[in-house]
């Protein structure tokens, strides 16, 4: 028998990935999406390395790798010197250029294949909440109806009905910039990774599958909160020529659009039986192409926690850690997007000197460049623990560790509905401790990263972050520590939450 029901408002990438995660945990889920079909005008284009890792941890990454264009780096604020992802500690040291429409199609196939219910042409109009359940109000072609659920999750965008109905604040700053973009054919495209920044503005050209290109930019007349009218092909061509000196033979636009820099962060990611993810929780200027990625990572953090709560093996308070862990990530997203916006909209001599200084640091200071790369790609995301004695790896993202004698890494071992205990002791002295909510893998690390080289055991969360790590050399003490952490983390134990210490 399936566990209790969850309703997800919004069937974009975030809602679809959350639906799949809940289904992997055995939870009945209904996605309510207002659009009758997937929107072919793709706001998002970039899939970052950490998001590919998320997909790989569920074996869902191969279609994306097969279709996406691999780009071995990224940009920060259109600086002349680009970030190089090739040395990052990941099996996927690149971004994938794939239109959001195709991403949604692949994620929808994944969710439907796992048994999710997706209703299109319907919209959530509100809900009524009690201590035990939520009654979700919806409207479709045949009129209004209600859905009984245990929880409702708002993945319904910046104008979220779920967030508004719950009364959750969405504070931030209003739009002061209107960027512009066009998806076009280029008869004479520039070199890969092309960007230009002058006193006339900044422009980037990004490849799209099928031989098309996205031109995106800002210009001095973008610094306004007054709507200048819809973008036209003539305006896009004029701006591009003004900045880059060439229109690259642009023609046949399939989408022309403007976008603003309003920046807002939900005050709460959880209130009772209401949760928010993706654009419903954070709105920002699309600098670096990270928005969809952060939203999918929200869903990855939330899905297993919500499923574990409904399935009865979560410790008290686990669901609350969704806010405590992801809200700071959203705040950092606000900071980075505002910083990049400032750098991309400064056309003064002083602003150009600042850009030149930072670009030079990207080119000549490897530590600085790597830190920016790890933040942009979300590989640096780590969730704090309250225990000062916890191992330094606690809360960090676990890399795709290799094991001696196997042809797969850690990602292939992760379970969406269970923690993974890595027994790294010679001969597996910790024994078989598998139980609901806990799987066990015994093995030896092959050429481990330095930080992992002395570990003898680690507990990995379903989302791939380290819940606990131990390097105790005494087998009896290590075994006792493992027993305590399992009791505190799995099967309704009392104590530490998402990350923990024995």
């Amino acid at each position: 028998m399936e566990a209790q029901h969850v309703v997800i408002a919004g069937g974009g990438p975030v809602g679809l990935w959350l639906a799949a995660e809940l289904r992997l945990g055995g939870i009945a889920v209904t996605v309510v999406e207002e659009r009758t079909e997937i929107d072919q005008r793709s706001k998002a284009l970039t899939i970052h390395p950490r998001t590919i890792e998320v997909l790989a941890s569920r074996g869902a990454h191969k279609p994306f790798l097969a279709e996406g264009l691999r780009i071995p780096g990224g940009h920060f604020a259109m600086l002349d010197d680009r970030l190089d992802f090739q040395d990052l500690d990941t099996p996927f040291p690149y971004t994938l250029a794939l239109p959001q429409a195709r991403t949604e199609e692949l994620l929808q196939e994944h969710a439907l294949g796992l048994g999710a219910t997706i209703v299109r042409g319907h919209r959530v109009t509100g809900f009524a909440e009690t201590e035990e359940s939520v009654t979700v109000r919806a409207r479709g072609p045949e009129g209004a109806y209600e859905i009984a659920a245990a929880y409702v999750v708002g993945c319904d965008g910046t104008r979220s009905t779920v967030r508004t109905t719950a009364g959750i604040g969405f504070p931030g700053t209003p739009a002061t910039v209107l960027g512009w973009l066009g998806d076009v054919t280029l008869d004479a495209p520039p070199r890969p990774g092309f960007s230009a920044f002058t006193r006339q503005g900044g422009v980037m050209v990004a490849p799209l599958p099928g031989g098309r290109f996205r031109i995106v930019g800002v210009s001095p007349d973008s610094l306004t909160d007054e709507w200048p009218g819809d973008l036209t092909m003539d305006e896009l061509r004029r701006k591009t020529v003004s900045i880059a000196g060439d229109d690259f033979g642009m023609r046949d636009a399939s989408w022309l659009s403007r976008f603003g820099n309003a920046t807002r962060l939900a005050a709460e990611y959880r209130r009772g039986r209401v949760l928010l993810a993706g654009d419903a929780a954070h709105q920002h200027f699309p600098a670096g192409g990270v928005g969809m990625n952060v939203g999918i990572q929200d869903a990855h953090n939330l899905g297993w926690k919500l499923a574990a709560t409904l399935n009865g093996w979560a410790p008290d308070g686990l669901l609350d850690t969704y806010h405590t862990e992801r809200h700071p990530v959203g705040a950092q997203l606000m900071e980075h997007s505002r910083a990049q916006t400032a750098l991309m909209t400064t056309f003064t001599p002083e602003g150009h000197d600042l850009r030149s200084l930072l670009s030079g640091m990207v080119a000549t200071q490897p530590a600085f460049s790597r830190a920016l790369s790890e933040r942009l790609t979300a590989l640096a995301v780590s969730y704090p623990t309250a225990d000062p004695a916890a191992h330094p790896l606690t809360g960090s993202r676990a890399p795709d560790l290799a094991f001696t004698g196997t042809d797969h890494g850690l990602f292939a071992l992760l379970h969406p509905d269970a923690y993974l205990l890595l027994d790294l002791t010679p001969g597996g002295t910790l024994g078989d401790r598998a139980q609901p909510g806990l799987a066990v893998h015994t093995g030896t690390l092959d050429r481990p990263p330095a930080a992992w080289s002395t570990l003898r055991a680690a507990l990995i969360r379903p989302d791939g972050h380290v819940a606990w790590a131990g390097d105790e050399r005494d087998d009896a003490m290590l075994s006792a520590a493992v027993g305590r952490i399992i009791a505190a983390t799995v099967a309704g134990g009392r104590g530490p939450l998402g990350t923990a210490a024995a």
Side-chain angles (χ1 to χ4, degrees), residues 97-108:
L98 189 68
Q100 180 176 329
R102 184 56 181 153
T103 295
E104 287 190 26
E105 289 172 356
L106 292 173
L107 293 179
Q108 180 173 265

Side-chain angles (χ1 to χ4, degrees), residues 280-295:
H282 36 76
Q283 178 182 9
H284 59 95
F285 199 62
V290 299
M292 179 186 71
N293 294 270
V294 175

Side-chain angles (χ1 to χ4, degrees), residues 92-416:
F92 315 108
Y94 44 77
T95 62
L96 293 177
L98 189 68
Q100 180 176 329
R102 184 56 181 153
T103 295
E104 287 190 26
E105 289 172 356
L106 292 173
L107 293 179
Q108 180 173 265
E109 291 172 10
H110 178 58
L112 289 173
L114 293 169
T117 298
I118 302 173
V119 291
R120 289 191 170 274
H122 297 234
R123 63 184 179 91
V124 169
T125 59
F127 59 83
E129 180 185 5
T130 69
E131 289 187 4
E132 303 297 328
S133 66
V134 180
T135 300
V136 179
R137 297 189 294 272
R139 179 173 292 276
E142 298 181 358
Y145 61 96
E146 295 182 342
I147 311 172
Y151 291 87
V152 60
V153 186
C155 301
D156 49 347
T158 59
R159 296 181 176 86
S160 171
T161 296
V162 172
R163 187 190 64 240
T164 302
T165 303
I168 296 174
F170 201 37
T173 54
T176 57
V177 175
L178 288 174
W180 36 267
L181 70 81
D183 289 348
V184 297
T185 295
L186 298 181
D187 290 331
R191 58 175 172 76
F194 175 85
S195 66
F197 197 94
T198 70
R199 294 290 296 274
Q200 285 70 47
V203 66
M204 294 182 61
V205 180
L208 297 169
R212 291 174 63 76
F213 295 85
R214 172 164 293 178
I215 296 179
V216 59
V218 292
S219 44
D221 61 359
S222 298
L223 308 184
T224 179
D225 59 359
E226 295 184 7
W227 185 253
D230 293 341
L231 184 70
T232 66
M233 188 68 170
D234 285 343
E235 183 183 355
L236 178 67
R237 179 178 287 108
R238 185 172 64 253
K239 290 179 182 295
T240 303
V241 171
S242 174
I243 299 167
D246 196 340
D247 73 352
F248 309 113
M250 71 171 69
R251 59 181 172 84
D252 299 336
S254 58
W255 188 33
L256 298 169
S257 182
R258 302 186 198 272
F259 52 92
N261 69 321
T263 304
R264 299 184 178 91
L265 181 65
E268 301 167 80
Y269 279 26
R270 180 198 179 189
R271 178 179 287 184
R273 294 185 173 271
V274 181
L275 301 117
L276 304 174
D279 290 348
H282 36 76
Q283 178 182 9
H284 59 95
F285 199 62
V290 299
M292 179 186 71
N293 294 270
V294 175
I296 290 174
Q297 292 155 28
D298 288 343
H300 200 57
N301 182 288
L302 173 59
W304 71 274
K305 294 176 179 178
L306 187 51
T309 299
L310 290 171
N311 285 327
W313 61 264
D316 288 348
L318 178 65
L319 198 53
D320 288 331
T321 68
Y322 172 60
H323 171 86
T324 58
E325 291 183 350
R326 293 304 297 178
H327 191 270
V329 174
Q332 187 178 76
L333 172 65
M334 303 298 101
E335 179 186 57
H336 288 179
S337 63
R338 284 193 182 110
Q340 291 191 67
T341 302
L343 285 169
M344 288 189 290
T345 57
T346 177
F347 305 111
T348 64
E350 293 82 2
H352 278 265
D353 285 345
L354 176 60
R355 290 179 56 83
S356 178
L357 173 68
L358 292 175
S359 187
M361 292 183 68
V362 168
T364 62
Q365 302 297 318
F368 178 76
S369 180
R370 186 181 180 93
L372 280 181
S373 296
E374 290 178 342
R375 290 190 177 207
L376 184 67
T377 60
L379 295 176
V381 169
S382 184
Y383 302 130
T385 174
D387 182 5
H391 192 281
L393 286 172
T394 304
S396 67
R397 151 201 160 268
D400 195 25
L401 301 166
F403 296 88
T404 303
T406 65
D407 59 359
H408 55 73
L410 175 67
F411 297 161
L413 300 174
L414 294 178
H415 294 254

